[in-house]
Amino acid sequence: REHEATLAAIDKLLATSIDHPQRRTVQLAAIKHMIGKHALQEENVIYPMLARESGDATGALNKEHGQVKAMLFELSRMDKADAGFATTLAQLRTALEEHMREEEDVLFPALRERLSE
């Protein structure tokens, strides 16, 4: 659900007019909070379990989290009225969606199968 909510928040920001840079700033801050909280939970709970159960699958996942954080930093520094803001935000959305699909479709189901009740 958090994955879906994050993508929906990004879509809302993408739909926010370039004429409202302050609104874009507030929406981006909310997205950064959502992603930061979620990433921290995954990195501290889920990824260690994955590492124990399936070896080094977490190296790539942590690297992807780092790339997302770098993109969020770049977005926070950009002029919210700049046309490039939407381009970078769309790239972030694509990267997140790919990362989320891998987790939801491959890694998490495999982990659930190996864990006890």
Side-chain angles (χ1 to χ4, degrees), residues 76-97:
S76 68
R77 296 190 57 178
M78 291 180 79
D79 179 356
K80 307 309 179 273
D82 186 302
F85 179 82
T87 302
T88 303
L89 185 60
Q91 292 169 345
L92 171 67
R93 190 192 190 289
T94 299
L96 278 172
E97 191 168 26

Side-chain angles (χ1 to χ4, degrees), residues 8-77:
I10 292 172
D11 290 341
K12 180 178 178 183
L13 178 52
L14 282 167
T16 301
S17 170
I18 197 169
D19 299 327
H20 298 285
Q22 188 62 27
R23 188 175 300 155
R24 283 178 155 194
T25 300
V26 170
Q27 289 173 316
L28 179 62
I31 291 167
K32 286 172 61 177
H33 177 75
M34 291 171 76
I35 292 172
K37 179 180 174 274
H38 182 83
L40 185 65
Q41 292 168 337
E42 284 185 344
E43 292 163 4
N44 288 328
V45 178
I46 303 296
Y47 291 2
M49 291 169 62
L50 279 171
R52 275 195 308 268
E53 295 296 321
S54 63
D56 193 34
T58 59
L61 295 170
N62 280 310
K63 181 179 178 183
E64 291 168 5
H65 274 202
Q67 292 167 337
V68 165
K69 291 171 188 176
M71 293 166 82
L72 286 168
F73 178 75
E74 181 181 346
L75 285 164
S76 68
R77 296 190 57 178

